[in-house]
Amino acid sequence: MKSFVKIVLSSLIIASCSVQNKTAEQQPVSTTKPIENNSQFFSGIAKKSNFDAVKINSKIDAKTGSFIPTLDAVIYIENGQKIWMNLTAVILQAARGIATPDGVKGYYKLDKTYIDSDFSYLNKLLNVNFIDYNALQNLLLGKTFLPVSDQNYKLTQNEQGFNLSSRETQKITENGKTTEYNISLDYDNNLNLNYVLLSNPQNNDQLEITYSNRETLNNESFPKNVKIIIKAKKTDEILIENTKFDFSRMETPYSVPANYKKTEIK
């Protein structure tokens, strides 16, 4: 169950990174003027996107050491309110999940288990401690989801764009728990986030995210493909491809079937 839930919840975080406006022209985003100082860079990467709701069809492939078939996912996001996901495998429903500012819920049909937790559950699965709904929302849009500043990070420009690297080990505290990370983020010349690497120097755990195959619509750029690698005692790899987008609102039913057993991560 744990490996499967990791896929479900990791997908909740990442699978929706290619929100697009299908009426806009596909033209590259260009910054209005070159970055002249660090302040412009940090204000640029903090720029928020606006959308009401989007339904995304995705395909998810996972390598966890156990056989898991390709999953078809329907992911629906209402900005700032909820992220709903339904997963099917070989036509049959496999799992359903929902995230709100209060936490995450999900159930897995094959072993009749469910979760109902705050974001500590998701943080444990991903071996981090900074995911809340706001971080989740930013990560969903392929934007910076970590607290960064000119004081704590070194900004370097290169041929590919920009790199932000933590000047020293960053301490992030959530719910009274402090974890240290070495952090590196890569951006292209238009300040699109392309790569994130978090390393825990105490145990060498890593969280690595790569955004690729970006498309620019409605003056915003979003990745169509996302790869997430979670390195802890073993390595899990999740590949997500977003294939179809619908911008109308939809119903998001969620209720745990009878006789399901609650599961937790100790």
Side-chain angles (χ1 to χ4, degrees), residues 114-141:
Y114 76 95
I115 60 169
D116 187 345
S117 176
D118 58 20
F119 283 92
S120 63
Y121 189 100
L122 186 53
N123 280 296
K124 289 178 182 177
L125 281 176
L126 297 179
N127 295 306
V128 297
N129 73 332
F130 54 82
I131 297 294
D132 58 13
Y133 191 86
N134 289 329
L136 175 58
Q137 183 81 53
N138 287 336
L139 205 159
L140 285 171
L141 297 175

Side-chain angles (χ1 to χ4, degrees), residues 34-63:
I35 299 298
E36 297 177 351
N37 52 56
N38 288 13
S39 178
Q40 286 185 357
F41 174 86
F42 284 101
S43 63
I45 64 172
K47 184 179 179 181
K48 295 182 179 180
S49 297
N50 294 315
F51 71 95
D52 178 39
V54 61
K55 172 187 173 184
I56 305 171
N57 293 86
S58 303
K59 290 188 176 296
I60 303 171
D61 286 293
K63 300 177 182 179

